[in-house]
Amino acid sequence: MEVAAQIANDAGGSNDTDDLGLATLPADKGENPDFGFLPTSLTQQCQSLIESYHELHGYACLPNILWKSRLGPFIETHQELRQLLRKASTTRSAKKSNEGFARIATTILSLEILASSFAGWSAIYPQAGSRAQVILRRNSRSPQMPLMDFYLYPPKYLSTAAIATLIPPAGHPASEAALPV
């Protein structure tokens, strides 16, 4: 499923990445920009990254990631993302809910990658990169890219479960803790 194409089709737009048509579209289309300008190859790679992460760690944490990243106001100001959020939040199908939250995360991660020029994406798609910067700058309270930080630069933390398994058993004398020679 092409995320950018699906979002663009939901809004009645197209996803022609060869001719982005950004010269004719104002950078600020109110509060509801068409996300069809996102390169298909980028959105596919972002979707693959997000799906592979959540196949390992579960999709239940995805809404929490979006919430803790303080992306709620950003999602609420964009009609397409708001509609996806509403559908994902109210559907009774876990699969459809997961797909909806993954589409939201894919769109935002794609915007962040374009706006930050990660791996040269904005050099390849300069008009799309500048448009992503305008969208994020207009709706951002901080210069951080929360989903890039989460998915591309995961936090290094101590796992309490791992620490618990490495604690030596109680009642052993200190002399047993020495390594054998």
Side-chain angles (χ1 to χ4, degrees):
M1 170 174 58
E2 290 183 14
V3 176
Q6 182 124 7
I7 290 173
N9 289 338
D10 289 347
S14 67
N15 187 27
D16 186 8
T17 55
D18 295 330
D19 178 19
L20 296 173
L22 296 175
T24 59
L25 291 173
D28 183 0
K29 285 180 69 178
E31 289 297 320
N32 295 312
D34 178 14
F35 294 115
F37 71 91
L38 295 172
T40 305
S41 56
L42 174 61
T43 56
Q44 287 173 342
Q45 289 181 19
C46 290
Q47 181 179 7
S48 176
L49 172 69
I50 290 168
E51 287 176 351
S52 64
Y53 176 88
H54 290 289
E55 285 173 1
L56 288 173
H57 301 285
Y59 280 89
C61 63
L62 182 52
N64 199 25
I65 292 167
L66 295 172
W67 179 258
K68 284 187 175 182
S69 299
R70 298 187 175 154
L71 291 169
F74 179 79
I75 294 168
E76 286 296 319
T77 59
H78 296 88
Q79 181 181 4
E80 297 165 42
L81 297 178
R82 187 173 55 242
Q83 288 174 348
L84 283 170
L85 177 66
R86 187 172 297 123
K87 286 179 185 178
S89 300
T90 59
T91 187
R92 297 180 84 184
S93 166
K95 182 178 179 183
K96 288 181 181 180
S97 177
N98 295 342
E99 288 173 356
F101 284 118
R103 283 177 54 199
I104 292 169
T106 298
T107 302
I108 296 171
L109 181 60
S110 298
L111 284 170
E112 290 179 358
I113 288 173
L114 274 173
S116 68
S117 190
F118 180 81
W121 279 98
S122 64
I124 298 169
Y125 300 99
Q127 292 176 323
S130 62
R131 185 143 181 220
Q133 286 177 346
V134 168
I135 291 170
L136 289 178
R137 192 176 308 130
R138 184 181 63 225
N139 295 295
S140 178
R141 294 185 180 144
S142 70
Q144 295 180 348
M145 305 286 184
L147 294 185
M148 276 184 62
D149 291 342
F150 184 82
Y151 289 108
L152 301 177
Y153 310 109
K156 295 178 181 161
Y157 61 91
L158 295 174
S159 168
T160 55
I163 291 172
T165 60
L166 297 174
I167 294 176
H172 289 279
S175 63
E176 285 185 33
L179 293 175
V181 182

